[in-house]
Structures are given as C-alpha cells and as structure tokens.
Amino acid sequence: MEKVFDTHVHYNFDISMDEMIKIFKEEFEETGTEKCVFLSLPHNASKEGLYLNAEQNVKGMFLKYIFSPNAYAFAGLIHPQAQISNEERAKLYYDQAVRYHSVGYDGIKMLEGHPTLRKTMKIALDSSVYDKFYSYLEEVGMPIIMHVADPAESWNLETASESAKTLGRTYAGSYPSKKQLTDEVFGILNKHPKLKLGLAHFGFMSYDISEAERFLSYKNTFFDLTPGGEQLINMSNVWEKWLPFFEEYQNRILYGSDFYAFPKKDETEWRIAFRRRPDFLRQFFETESEHLYINQTFCGVNIGERLRTKIYRDNFMNLLDQPKLIDIDYLKAEINSLLKNPPNENEYYTKDGVIDTSKPENLKKVQERYKSDLQFMLQKL
C-alpha cells in the first residue's frame, strides 16, 4: 500500500483523549497514513449561534506531540464572546497569529468560510479586521487551510443532496452565496498575493476549471483533496478536461481525507466510517474500475504512481517540511489555564452534536470529560 501524508485530520468527537490516541493509531496503520496534520476547529455554528470548544487548539498540539515526529498541528482562531471594536478584533487575531507561530503550530485552520459560520459571524473573509492577521502569516510564510463554501447544489433545495438536507447543510435564503464566499477568497489574495492559502475540498471548484486556475494563479495557493461529496465525482465525468489541470498543477494539490478518530462502539460501523473517505480517494486515484461512494457511483481515473507520489507525499513536505518545535511550557500553561475555566455555557459542541448543558447531568458529564482530558495531557507531557 502506498503511504499517504494527510493534510486534513480532525479530532472533535466526544471520546476521551486516551481512547482517541488508540483509535488514531489503528486507523493510521490500516489506511497507510504515515504523516498527518491535526486541524483545530474551536468554533462551530448553527441557527442558534456560535459555539466554542476552547480546548481544541491544545488537543491538536498534544496530538502532534504524541505522534511526533510524523504529526503537525494547525491552530484555529478564537473569536471574542462579546462585542468588541474592529480595532480590538484586528489586534486579537494578529496577536493569536504571532503566538501560534512562536509556540510550535505549523499553520492555521479556518472554518470561517463555511456558510453557517460565515452567516453567524457576519465577518467577510477579506474584511479589514483580518488584514494584520493575513499580513503577518504572509510575512512569516505560515500556511492557512481554509474551508470556503460547500457544494454548489446546496444553495438550492431542489438540487441539494438528501444528506445535505438531512444534516441541515442547505443555504437558500439569508446565507451568503457561494459566489460571494469565493469572491471573498480572491479579495484576500488581491491584498495578500503571497499568502500560503490552501482551500480544503478543492474549494468546491470542481464545476469550473477556470475558477480553479484563477485561484492557483497566485504563487503560494494550493488545494487539498478532502472529499466534499461531489468534486472528484464531478471531475471524473469530464476527466479529459481535468487531467491536464492535474498535470500542470501537480505541485499544488495535496492529499487530504477529512479523517477523524471515529467512536469505536461497533467494529463494523467504525471501520466503514473511518475507511470511507480514504478508500474513496485511493479507489479514485489508483484504479480504473467502478466503485460506490455513499450513494454515488464513480470510476477511478488511475493517475499513475508519479503523480500520486506528488499528491500523496511530496507536496505535503514541500509545504510543511519538518514539524516546528513545540513549546512545552506554553502547552502546559494553556492546559492549566483551561482547567481553571471549565465549560459553563448552555450548550457545548462536539462532532456528535450539540450537548444541552443547561441540564445539570449533561453539564457534569461535559465538565468531567473536559477535566479528565486536560489532566491526561498534563500527565503525558
């Protein structure tokens, strides 16, 4: 099995840190994942508001420590929980960028371009409040992996997939349009043309090669291949058009799977869950036969070992090189600070869903898990 270096790994299911590490080890071994980037998601949003999972950044750095020297960590911005001025907000984001760069994070993950989060926050991706933040990252060469938009059909209830409808991932009405979100990306690059900016899920640009080429016309931009459900299947239908693109931009496309440590409650369901995306990517790029991804049939395009080596491994190393040294004292101090501030909101977000912590029994469970995870990390450092 060809080894892969995965640029897109998450860790926000409601499972303990010690169990998560064991699960990741099994999943990495079975899927041939040799190196990976742990991406922090400290905020998520729903129609009810913005949720903070404050320990996400330290968990990512801790996982980097545990899986060293084959792991990297991208931090996520922590947004203010109260109204502040634009000047204060700009300074907050800039200060975080400086701090994350200095303590051993290898990059920044931004979910702020997701339609729901973007609508809730009401801050354009190219807003001036991010200018100092982007300028600093551009100056020091620290990369961003950004989620922007979603599949184009999700803005129309008639064309949205059944899974998107079930999960509430449809964006008709008051949401920013897909075009607006994409335009904001180009707004960033017009101001910061040397920024190392990567779009997850191929930027949901599989509908328009010219748009993808325009994005890659900026010298430090790149795509990751995390399945968004539709983009590679769209490409396979007109692969004669996309193959020259992959050849021309072979140094700017990185393997990514949207991997998680999935809860291991049932062995069969667990294996289906964690293998679904990696198997899809490998079947797509390594075979020429027909396969099924969830409920969509596709044919592999077998790009050959030379291109796969670039996408699976080489481009990852060209972007990130060796992991940055971790400031262990900083990590311990952050964990101790978090221990003094357990969650006390009415709701708490995990990948399993939003937990109603207005119920005392749920709040107690969340706080106990929060405390035990942080104490576990301190014991291992």
Side-chain angles (χ1 to χ4, degrees):
M1 177 185 290
E2 296 176 51
K3 297 295 183 181
V4 293
F5 300 171
D6 196 330
T7 61
H8 203 119
V9 175
H10 293 301
Y11 44 89
N12 55 342
F13 274 100
D14 186 24
I15 54 179
S16 67
M17 283 301 296
D18 56 341
E19 181 67 14
M20 185 185 301
I21 290 165
K22 294 172 187 175
I23 291 172
F24 267 137
K25 287 179 178 178
E26 286 190 70
E27 293 178 348
F28 290 158
E29 177 67 25
E30 190 164 326
T31 57
T33 304
E34 185 173 306
K35 296 180 185 291
C36 73
V37 179
F38 291 107
L39 302 177
S40 178
L41 298 176
H43 290 280
N44 214 299
S46 74
K47 294 175 182 177
E48 285 70 42
L50 188 68
Y51 303 107
L52 173 64
N53 192 320
E55 68 272 29
Q56 272 279 301
N57 281 339
V58 298
K59 281 185 175 181
M61 185 68 89
F62 177 74
L63 288 167
K64 172 182 172 174
Y65 170 83
I66 290 294
F67 288 93
S68 177
N70 290 318
Y72 304 71
F74 278 33
L77 282 173
I78 303 295
H79 296 284
Q81 301 300 294
Q83 288 295 325
I84 61 175
S85 70
N86 285 345
E87 291 77 11
E88 291 171 313
R89 188 179 288 271
K91 184 178 186 304
L92 176 67
Y93 298 153
Y94 169 78
D95 288 346
Q96 287 185 59
V98 174
R99 180 167 68 254
Y100 296 149
H101 180 258
S102 68
V103 299
Y105 287 98
D106 304 284
I108 302 291
K109 165 63 176 177
M110 293 186 70
L111 191 64
E112 284 79 356
H114 187 283
T116 306
L117 198 58
R118 170 66 181 79
K119 175 186 175 183
T120 302
M121 291 183 59
K122 298 180 174 63
I123 301 174
L125 298 172
D126 57 351
S127 165
S128 60
V129 302
Y130 289 125
D131 281 351
K132 288 182 67 178
F133 166 77
Y134 292 135
S135 290
Y136 177 79
L137 298 178
E138 184 178 30
E139 177 187 343
V140 299
M142 193 174 189
I144 299 173
I145 291 179
M146 183 181 289
H147 182 121
V148 177
D150 250 10
E153 60 265 23
S154 296
W155 271 262
N156 186 325
L157 287 175
E158 294 183 3
T159 58
S161 67
E162 289 305 314
S163 64
K165 293 176 185 176
T166 300
L167 295 169
R169 296 174 183 168
T170 57
Y171 312 114
S174 59
Y175 288 87
S177 68
K178 184 177 187 298
K179 181 181 184 304
Q180 179 182 342
L181 294 170
T182 302
D183 285 347
E184 289 175 9
V185 171
F186 289 112
I188 296 168
L189 291 168
N190 288 339
K191 290 190 281 186
H192 310 280
K194 296 180 182 178
L195 187 65
K196 289 185 178 179
L197 178 61
L199 296 186
H201 312 288
F202 219 85
F204 301 100
M205 292 180 177
S206 61
Y207 309 87
D208 189 345
I209 290 181
S210 63
E211 189 174 68
E213 289 175 332
R214 181 187 172 198
F215 176 70
L216 292 184
S217 69
Y218 294 87
K219 61 182 291 185
N220 290 329
T221 52
F222 60 96
F223 288 118
D224 87 22
L225 287 168
T226 44
E230 93 308 334
Q231 79 270 25
L232 291 179
I233 295 174
N234 283 351
M235 292 175 183
S236 70
N237 294 329
V238 286
W239 188 244
E240 69 281 1
K241 296 181 180 179
W242 278 101
L243 178 57
F245 179 97
F246 272 70
E247 288 279 2
E248 182 173 354
Y249 299 106
Q250 59 185 269
N251 298 328
R252 314 275 291 281
I253 303 169
L254 283 70
Y255 178 95
S257 70
D258 223 357
F259 209 78
Y260 287 86
F262 285 91
K264 200 174 181 181
K265 298 173 183 176
D266 176 89
E267 188 82 18
T268 300
E269 291 181 2
W270 167 70
R271 183 158 277 104
I272 290 171
F274 84 80
R275 291 197 63 109
R276 178 179 286 128
R277 294 185 181 104
D279 284 355
F280 170 51
L281 289 165
R282 287 183 177 273
Q283 290 163 353
F284 188 87
F285 288 115
E286 297 176 19
T287 80
E288 295 179 350
S289 50
E290 188 173 277
H291 305 275
L292 184 68
Y293 176 62
I294 307 178
N295 60 354
Q296 299 180 82
T297 301
F298 70 95
C299 284
V301 298
N302 191 5
I303 59 174
E305 187 175 352
R306 177 183 59 83
L307 272 184
R308 285 199 300 270
T309 297
K310 290 268 190 178
I311 292 170
Y312 282 6
R313 298 183 295 278
D314 289 355
N315 296 341
F316 179 109
M317 295 306 297
N318 289 337
L319 176 70
L320 295 172
D321 196 19
Q322 297 304 311
K324 294 174 66 176
L325 293 176
I326 299 171
D327 185 334
I328 299 295
D329 289 339
Y330 166 84
L331 184 54
K332 289 179 178 179
E334 284 294 292
I335 293 172
N336 280 313
S337 176
L338 289 168
L339 279 168
K340 296 174 184 176
N341 296 281
N344 57 12
E345 299 86 358
N346 287 332
E347 294 177 314
Y348 184 80
Y349 172 83
T350 76
K351 183 66 177 175
D352 294 315
V354 176
I355 301 171
D356 180 4
T357 49
S358 65
K359 297 179 180 179
E361 64 274 20
N362 289 348
L363 179 61
K364 180 180 179 183
K365 180 181 176 182
V366 165
Q367 290 182 340
E368 286 176 348
R369 169 62 55 76
Y370 177 91
K371 181 179 179 180
S372 65
D373 279 347
L374 293 171
Q375 290 176 335
F376 172 83
M377 288 187 268
L378 277 180
Q379 291 166 3
K380 296 292 182 181
L381 289 173

